[in-house]
Structure formats: structure tokens, C-alpha cells
Amino acid sequence: MQSPRSRNRLLASLHDADWRLIAPRLQSVEMLNRQVLEAANQTIEHVYFPTQGIVSVVAKSADGQQIEAGVIGREGMTGAAIVMSNHRSPNEAVVQVTGEAERISADDLRTVLAQSEQMRQLAQRFVQVFMTQVAQTALANGRAKIEERLARWLLMAQDRLDDANLQLTHEFIALMLGVRRPGVTDAINDLEGKGLIRSARGLVRIIDRDGLKAAAGGIYGVPEAEYDRLIGSA
């Protein structure tokens, strides 16, 4: 029996007894643009289950280079290190699209994971899905054209925001894809010329989702299928 008490898909999947175990420990919070939820190599104090918005997991090098490794929305949770019995990560988790989340302290989550087999299983399965997403992002960054990578990113953003209108600037997309801004502008113009999206200042509107999937050239869909296999479809 699924709980309708949360818009986060992991929490909504919990049976009533498991929900009652975690619910008193959850706090509803806002996620503000550019808010750092997990700092690299710092102890994780809280884990977030987004109900709205997007969190980016950013890989950072020793000399300050950075690129987005993966995204998390209402399908998942931050705090993979906690799930894997650790306390910190070399990556950073930062809010890229403002939203809301259910927050739990790392210690409380450890308690719930120890007592709830279902929550432990869901969390571990999500970590596997996220690892798959990170691997596919590496594949896309190494092998795909910018237009394909942009199409994939827009689809992933829409999945998490449930909205065809995405508040995104060219500068933001360039940072997330690890490319120069002129390359993003060319890619947006290419997708717009094909009638797949419409771009205005700070806004990208998805017009043809199926066409955008085709434009992604096969680099979209593997993590999504793994999520459906391991956790369930929406």
C-alpha cells in the first residue's frame, strides 16, 4: 500500500508502518537557488528528499574544475554516502532549481535505515540508479554531441519538474554540461530550429518531447529504465 503523504517518490513508496517510522523525523524545508546541501569532503548533517526542484551533484577536482555528475529531483534523495555507511563525499550537492524537500538528520536516517528494511532497500536501489545515471553522464560527456547532451539534460529536468517550461539560462546550461556558452547557444538554436523547443531569455519550453528523445540519440533512458525496474514507474 503506497502512502500519498509525500510528493517524493521514494517516501510515497513506503508502506504505512515504514512511513510512520520516518515521518516524525522529517522536516519540510525550502531549497534555495545555489544552496549547498552537501559540501565536498565535509560531514553530511542532513539528507534531503526533494518534493520540488532540482539538486545537482557536482564533481570537483583538486584544482577547482567542476562539472555536473548527476541530478536529483522528487524521484530520489541526497546523502548517498550515508546510505553506503559513510559520512561524507568528495562531491558537492547544490540546489540548481529552487524547490522544497523533506529533510532528515543523517543520524535519524541511519536509525530508520537500521529499523526499516523497505527504506533501506529503496535507498540502496536509488543509489544504484544514481550510479547508473552518473555512468551515463560520463558516456554522454565523452561520446555525444552537445545537441544530444542538451536534449538529454532537458528531458531529465522535465522529468523532475513535471513542467515543459524550464527556467534556465545559457550560462547555467553551459556550467552543467561543462561546455562553453557559445556551444550551448548553437545547440539551443539547433533544437529550436527542429521545432523541439522554444527559447526565450531565461526560459526553455519543451514543445516536442518525443522529438527531443530522438534528438538525444540514445543517451537518454537507461537510468530511467533502471529506476522503473528497481523502484517502480510513476
mmCIF file of all heavy atoms in Angstrom, residues 162-188:
data_model
loop_
_atom_site.group_PDB
_atom_site.id
_atom_site.type_symbol
_atom_site.label_atom_id
_atom_site.label_comp_id
_atom_site.label_asym_id
_atom_site.label_seq_id
_atom_site.Cartn_x
_atom_site.Cartn_y
_atom_site.Cartn_z
ATOM 1 N N ASP A 162 8.188 18.190 -13.784
ATOM 2 C CA ASP A 162 6.825 17.993 -14.293
ATOM 3 C C ASP A 162 6.302 19.240 -14.978
ATOM 4 O O ASP A 162 5.136 19.619 -14.814
ATOM 5 C CB ASP A 162 5.875 17.586 -13.151
ATOM 6 C CG ASP A 162 6.288 16.275 -12.500
ATOM 7 O OD1 ASP A 162 6.653 15.346 -13.234
ATOM 8 O OD2 ASP A 162 6.259 16.203 -11.255
ATOM 9 N N ASP A 163 7.161 19.904 -15.742
ATOM 10 C CA ASP A 163 6.793 21.161 -16.375
ATOM 11 C C ASP A 163 7.551 21.277 -17.683
ATOM 12 O O ASP A 163 8.756 21.000 -17.745
ATOM 13 C CB ASP A 163 7.150 22.332 -15.446
ATOM 14 C CG ASP A 163 6.490 23.640 -15.866
ATOM 15 O OD1 ASP A 163 6.054 23.756 -17.039
ATOM 16 O OD2 ASP A 163 6.423 24.551 -15.023
ATOM 17 N N ALA A 164 6.855 21.688 -18.726
ATOM 18 C CA ALA A 164 7.503 21.895 -20.025
ATOM 19 C C ALA A 164 8.254 23.216 -20.077
ATOM 20 O O ALA A 164 9.061 23.439 -20.990
ATOM 21 C CB ALA A 164 6.469 21.834 -21.148
ATOM 22 N N ASN A 165 7.981 24.104 -19.121
ATOM 23 C CA ASN A 165 8.653 25.403 -19.073
ATOM 24 C C ASN A 165 9.781 25.339 -18.048
ATOM 25 O O ASN A 165 9.544 25.200 -16.853
ATOM 26 C CB ASN A 165 7.654 26.506 -18.694
ATOM 27 C CG ASN A 165 6.574 26.678 -19.734
ATOM 28 O OD1 ASN A 165 6.846 26.996 -20.881
ATOM 29 N ND2 ASN A 165 5.329 26.447 -19.341
ATOM 30 N N LEU A 166 11.014 25.442 -18.525
ATOM 31 C CA LEU A 166 12.186 25.310 -17.668
ATOM 32 C C LEU A 166 12.891 26.653 -17.561
ATOM 33 O O LEU A 166 13.287 27.236 -18.575
ATOM 34 C CB LEU A 166 13.130 24.257 -18.244
ATOM 35 C CG LEU A 166 12.495 22.896 -18.582
ATOM 36 C CD1 LEU A 166 13.522 21.984 -19.225
ATOM 37 C CD2 LEU A 166 11.894 22.258 -17.345
ATOM 38 N N GLN A 167 13.040 27.131 -16.332
ATOM 39 C CA GLN A 167 13.716 28.402 -16.088
ATOM 40 C C GLN A 167 15.235 28.169 -16.101
ATOM 41 O O GLN A 167 15.835 27.844 -15.086
ATOM 42 C CB GLN A 167 13.276 28.989 -14.741
ATOM 43 C CG GLN A 167 11.792 29.262 -14.622
ATOM 44 C CD GLN A 167 11.348 30.472 -15.442
ATOM 45 O OE1 GLN A 167 12.148 31.354 -15.754
ATOM 46 N NE2 GLN A 167 10.073 30.508 -15.792
ATOM 47 N N LEU A 168 15.845 28.322 -17.264
ATOM 48 C CA LEU A 168 17.257 28.014 -17.441
ATOM 49 C C LEU A 168 17.928 29.068 -18.313
ATOM 50 O O LEU A 168 17.400 29.443 -19.355
ATOM 51 C CB LEU A 168 17.418 26.645 -18.125
ATOM 52 C CG LEU A 168 16.734 25.437 -17.475
ATOM 53 C CD1 LEU A 168 16.757 24.258 -18.424
ATOM 54 C CD2 LEU A 168 17.433 25.079 -16.172
ATOM 55 N N THR A 169 19.089 29.533 -17.891
ATOM 56 C CA THR A 169 19.870 30.455 -18.716
ATOM 57 C C THR A 169 20.934 29.676 -19.483
ATOM 58 O O THR A 169 21.297 28.552 -19.118
ATOM 59 C CB THR A 169 20.572 31.516 -17.854
ATOM 60 O OG1 THR A 169 21.541 30.862 -17.011
ATOM 61 C CG2 THR A 169 19.575 32.267 -16.979
ATOM 62 N N HIS A 170 21.441 30.275 -20.555
ATOM 63 C CA HIS A 170 22.503 29.642 -21.326
ATOM 64 C C HIS A 170 23.745 29.437 -20.465
ATOM 65 O O HIS A 170 24.433 28.410 -20.591
ATOM 66 C CB HIS A 170 22.842 30.491 -22.552
ATOM 67 C CG HIS A 170 21.753 30.525 -23.574
ATOM 68 N ND1 HIS A 170 21.982 30.874 -24.891
ATOM 69 C CD2 HIS A 170 20.421 30.246 -23.501
ATOM 70 C CE1 HIS A 170 20.842 30.823 -25.565
ATOM 71 N NE2 HIS A 170 19.888 30.448 -24.729
ATOM 72 N N GLU A 171 24.024 30.396 -19.595
ATOM 73 C CA GLU A 171 25.187 30.289 -18.717
ATOM 74 C C GLU A 171 25.063 29.085 -17.783
ATOM 75 O O GLU A 171 26.030 28.354 -17.556
ATOM 76 C CB GLU A 171 25.361 31.569 -17.896
ATOM 77 C CG GLU A 171 25.786 32.792 -18.688
ATOM 78 C CD GLU A 171 24.605 33.521 -19.331
ATOM 79 O OE1 GLU A 171 23.458 33.042 -19.198
ATOM 80 O OE2 GLU A 171 24.846 34.541 -19.988
ATOM 81 N N PHE A 172 23.860 28.908 -17.236
ATOM 82 C CA PHE A 172 23.614 27.793 -16.331
ATOM 83 C C PHE A 172 23.791 26.468 -17.055
ATOM 84 O O PHE A 172 24.457 25.547 -16.567
ATOM 85 C CB PHE A 172 22.201 27.905 -15.762
ATOM 86 C CG PHE A 172 21.730 26.667 -15.058
ATOM 87 C CD1 PHE A 172 22.177 26.350 -13.797
ATOM 88 C CD2 PHE A 172 20.829 25.803 -15.669
ATOM 89 C CE1 PHE A 172 21.748 25.199 -13.156
ATOM 90 C CE2 PHE A 172 20.397 24.658 -15.031
ATOM 91 C CZ PHE A 172 20.861 24.360 -13.772
ATOM 92 N N ILE A 173 23.213 26.352 -18.244
ATOM 93 C CA ILE A 173 23.318 25.102 -19.005
ATOM 94 C C ILE A 173 24.777 24.811 -19.353
ATOM 95 O O ILE A 173 25.231 23.666 -19.278
ATOM 96 C CB ILE A 173 22.460 25.179 -20.283
ATOM 97 C CG1 ILE A 173 20.971 25.321 -19.908
ATOM 98 C CG2 ILE A 173 22.658 23.933 -21.139
ATOM 99 C CD1 ILE A 173 20.068 25.598 -21.097
ATOM 100 N N ALA A 174 25.525 25.850 -19.714
ATOM 101 C CA ALA A 174 26.934 25.666 -20.045
ATOM 102 C C ALA A 174 27.710 25.113 -18.860
ATOM 103 O O ALA A 174 28.557 24.215 -19.008
ATOM 104 C CB ALA A 174 27.536 27.000 -20.506
ATOM 105 N N LEU A 175 27.427 25.617 -17.668
ATOM 106 C CA LEU A 175 28.094 25.131 -16.465
ATOM 107 C C LEU A 175 27.742 23.676 -16.207
ATOM 108 O O LEU A 175 28.613 22.852 -15.894
ATOM 109 C CB LEU A 175 27.698 25.992 -15.262
ATOM 110 C CG LEU A 175 28.224 25.526 -13.897
ATOM 111 C CD1 LEU A 175 29.746 25.587 -13.867
ATOM 112 C CD2 LEU A 175 27.628 26.369 -12.769
ATOM 113 N N MET A 176 26.473 23.341 -16.349
ATOM 114 C CA MET A 176 26.042 21.980 -16.064
ATOM 115 C C MET A 176 26.595 20.976 -17.069
ATOM 116 O O MET A 176 26.918 19.839 -16.712
ATOM 117 C CB MET A 176 24.511 21.901 -16.041
ATOM 118 C CG MET A 176 23.866 22.632 -14.870
ATOM 119 S SD MET A 176 24.420 22.018 -13.254
ATOM 120 C CE MET A 176 25.720 23.173 -12.852
ATOM 121 N N LEU A 177 26.729 21.377 -18.324
ATOM 122 C CA LEU A 177 27.222 20.466 -19.353
ATOM 123 C C LEU A 177 28.738 20.505 -19.482
ATOM 124 O O LEU A 177 29.325 19.665 -20.168
ATOM 125 C CB LEU A 177 26.579 20.793 -20.710
ATOM 126 C CG LEU A 177 25.061 20.612 -20.822
ATOM 127 C CD1 LEU A 177 24.608 20.921 -22.246
ATOM 128 C CD2 LEU A 177 24.644 19.205 -20.429
ATOM 129 N N GLY A 178 29.374 21.489 -18.841
ATOM 130 C CA GLY A 178 30.820 21.598 -18.917
ATOM 131 C C GLY A 178 31.319 22.033 -20.275
ATOM 132 O O GLY A 178 32.381 21.590 -20.727
ATOM 133 N N VAL A 179 30.560 22.910 -20.935
ATOM 134 C CA VAL A 179 30.943 23.406 -22.254
ATOM 135 C C VAL A 179 30.898 24.928 -22.250
ATOM 136 O O VAL A 179 30.413 25.553 -21.303
ATOM 137 C CB VAL A 179 30.007 22.856 -23.360
ATOM 138 C CG1 VAL A 179 30.058 21.341 -23.397
ATOM 139 C CG2 VAL A 179 28.554 23.309 -23.131
ATOM 140 N N ARG A 180 31.392 25.530 -23.321
ATOM 141 C CA ARG A 180 31.373 26.983 -23.417
ATOM 142 C C ARG A 180 29.986 27.469 -23.825
ATOM 143 O O ARG A 180 29.236 26.772 -24.520
ATOM 144 C CB ARG A 180 32.420 27.460 -24.430
ATOM 145 C CG ARG A 180 33.848 27.085 -24.041
ATOM 146 C CD ARG A 180 34.835 27.539 -25.091
ATOM 147 N NE ARG A 180 34.831 28.989 -25.232
ATOM 148 C CZ ARG A 180 35.504 29.638 -26.187
ATOM 149 N NH1 ARG A 180 36.192 28.960 -27.097
ATOM 150 N NH2 ARG A 180 35.460 30.956 -26.240
ATOM 151 N N ARG A 181 29.668 28.697 -23.410
ATOM 152 C CA ARG A 181 28.339 29.242 -23.666
ATOM 153 C C ARG A 181 27.980 29.294 -25.157
ATOM 154 O O ARG A 181 26.843 28.979 -25.525
ATOM 155 C CB ARG A 181 28.236 30.635 -23.045
ATOM 156 C CG ARG A 181 26.836 31.241 -23.117
ATOM 157 C CD ARG A 181 26.807 32.626 -22.471
ATOM 158 N NE ARG A 181 25.482 33.206 -22.476
ATOM 159 C CZ ARG A 181 24.939 33.828 -23.514
ATOM 160 N NH1 ARG A 181 25.609 33.917 -24.651
ATOM 161 N NH2 ARG A 181 23.718 34.335 -23.429
ATOM 162 N N PRO A 182 28.910 29.683 -26.049
ATOM 163 C CA PRO A 182 28.541 29.701 -27.475
ATOM 164 C C PRO A 182 28.087 28.328 -27.987
ATOM 165 O O PRO A 182 27.210 28.245 -28.851
ATOM 166 C CB PRO A 182 29.834 30.158 -28.166
ATOM 167 C CG PRO A 182 30.544 30.958 -27.132
ATOM 168 C CD PRO A 182 30.258 30.255 -25.841
ATOM 169 N N GLY A 183 28.683 27.250 -27.439
ATOM 170 C CA GLY A 183 28.273 25.910 -27.841
ATOM 171 C C GLY A 183 26.849 25.612 -27.418
ATOM 172 O O GLY A 183 26.086 24.974 -28.156
ATOM 173 N N VAL A 184 26.473 26.077 -26.228
ATOM 174 C CA VAL A 184 25.101 25.899 -25.755
ATOM 175 C C VAL A 184 24.128 26.681 -26.628
ATOM 176 O O VAL A 184 23.063 26.180 -27.003
ATOM 177 C CB VAL A 184 24.976 26.343 -24.285
ATOM 178 C CG1 VAL A 184 23.505 26.390 -23.859
ATOM 179 C CG2 VAL A 184 25.739 25.402 -23.383
ATOM 180 N N THR A 185 24.489 27.916 -26.968
ATOM 181 C CA THR A 185 23.623 28.735 -27.818
ATOM 182 C C THR A 185 23.393 28.060 -29.162
ATOM 183 O O THR A 185 22.258 28.012 -29.666
ATOM 184 C CB THR A 185 24.259 30.127 -28.033
ATOM 185 O OG1 THR A 185 24.416 30.767 -26.755
ATOM 186 C CG2 THR A 185 23.368 30.989 -28.908
ATOM 187 N N ASP A 186 24.451 27.511 -29.747
ATOM 188 C CA ASP A 186 24.315 26.805 -31.031
ATOM 189 C C ASP A 186 23.417 25.584 -30.883
ATOM 190 O O ASP A 186 22.577 25.302 -31.752
ATOM 191 C CB ASP A 186 25.685 26.378 -31.556
ATOM 192 C CG ASP A 186 26.539 27.556 -32.013
ATOM 193 O OD1 ASP A 186 25.980 28.651 -32.237
ATOM 194 O OD2 ASP A 186 27.767 27.367 -32.143
ATOM 195 N N ALA A 187 23.577 24.840 -29.777
ATOM 196 C CA ALA A 187 22.766 23.637 -29.562
ATOM 197 C C ALA A 187 21.301 24.000 -29.370
ATOM 198 O O ALA A 187 20.402 23.320 -29.896
ATOM 199 C CB ALA A 187 23.287 22.869 -28.351
ATOM 200 N N ILE A 188 21.031 25.057 -28.611
ATOM 201 C CA ILE A 188 19.649 25.516 -28.420
ATOM 202 C C ILE A 188 19.044 25.941 -29.749
ATOM 203 O O ILE A 188 17.895 25.595 -30.067
ATOM 204 C CB ILE A 188 19.605 26.663 -27.392
ATOM 205 C CG1 ILE A 188 19.827 26.097 -25.984
ATOM 206 C CG2 ILE A 188 18.270 27.399 -27.463
ATOM 207 C CD1 ILE A 188 19.865 27.154 -24.904
#
